[in-house]
Amino acid sequence: DRAGGDPSTPAAPSSAPQSTGDAATTDDAPPEETRSPSSSEPEDGTVPEEFLGRWSTTIDNDSGSHSRRLTMQQGEAGDTVMSLVADGPTGNGTYHCVFEARLTDASDGRLRIGPSTVTVGEPRSACTPGSASEITLLPDGTLRRESTGTGEQLTYTRD
């Protein structure tokens, strides 16, 4: 019943099936108001320009449609560069979770992101921190986020 660090598991009744294939990895990133101002100076960070911006995807299952909005901002290793907002239905209402995560490495065309933390959780019990993940741009211009612990992944399109 949690929309946590493992985005492939949307907050839903435990009897609801989890999504497969397009499972997200870590649901974490800072909300707009907590992100650092470094995004205005892209040359000062290590995140390649093509990763920056807002991305989204949806997970559909028996409990309904679960949206994910991923925002990538400029930064260096150790900086919070990813924010993830997860919304969707639960067995008896809805959830809204905001996660953030720090960059651990940017090399070989991939971003390695540390475990996520929950910055907003409504209800708090529906939002759990996620594991580390790896973000890659695909040839078609979409962004893939894969959990380094489980291999679960979600593909996002640029907003």
Side-chain angles (χ1 to χ4, degrees):
D1 289 355
R2 297 173 185 257
D6 183 2
S8 65
T9 311
S14 57
S15 61
Q18 295 178 4
S19 64
T20 58
D22 257 43
T25 334
T26 316
D27 284 351
D28 31 319
E32 298 278 336
E33 57 275 4
T34 62
R35 290 188 290 162
S36 74
S38 65
S39 61
S40 63
E41 300 175 30
E43 66 278 358
D44 291 341
T46 57
V47 177
E49 189 75 27
E50 57 269 20
F51 285 89
L52 302 177
R54 220 167 132 185
W55 304 80
S56 61
T57 194
T58 304
I59 301 168
D60 293 314
N61 63 22
D62 288 347
S63 65
S65 183
H66 306 264
S67 68
R68 300 291 187 264
R69 283 187 336 253
L70 179 77
T71 302
M72 296 300 303
Q73 68 178 24
Q74 192 52 259
E76 297 182 15
D79 292 342
T80 298
V81 297
M82 190 188 86
S83 168
L84 183 79
V85 177
D87 292 297
T90 64
N92 57 356
T94 61
Y95 66 90
H96 172 75
C97 306
V98 179
F99 304 89
E100 64 179 30
R102 297 179 184 275
L103 179 68
T104 58
D105 181 53
S107 61
D108 303 325
R110 299 171 189 251
L111 301 179
R112 288 163 191 85
I113 307 295
S116 65
T117 58
V118 177
T119 60
V120 175
E122 299 167 7
R124 189 73 176 182
S125 62
C127 310
T128 57
S131 61
S133 61
E134 189 170 273
I135 298 175
T136 308
L137 281 174
L138 301 178
D140 65 0
T142 59
L143 182 140
R144 179 180 63 209
R145 186 165 166 245
E146 181 175 347
S147 170
T148 54
T150 65
E152 292 177 334
Q153 55 186 272
L154 276 179
T155 301
Y156 295 79
T157 56
R158 186 179 294 280
D159 288 350

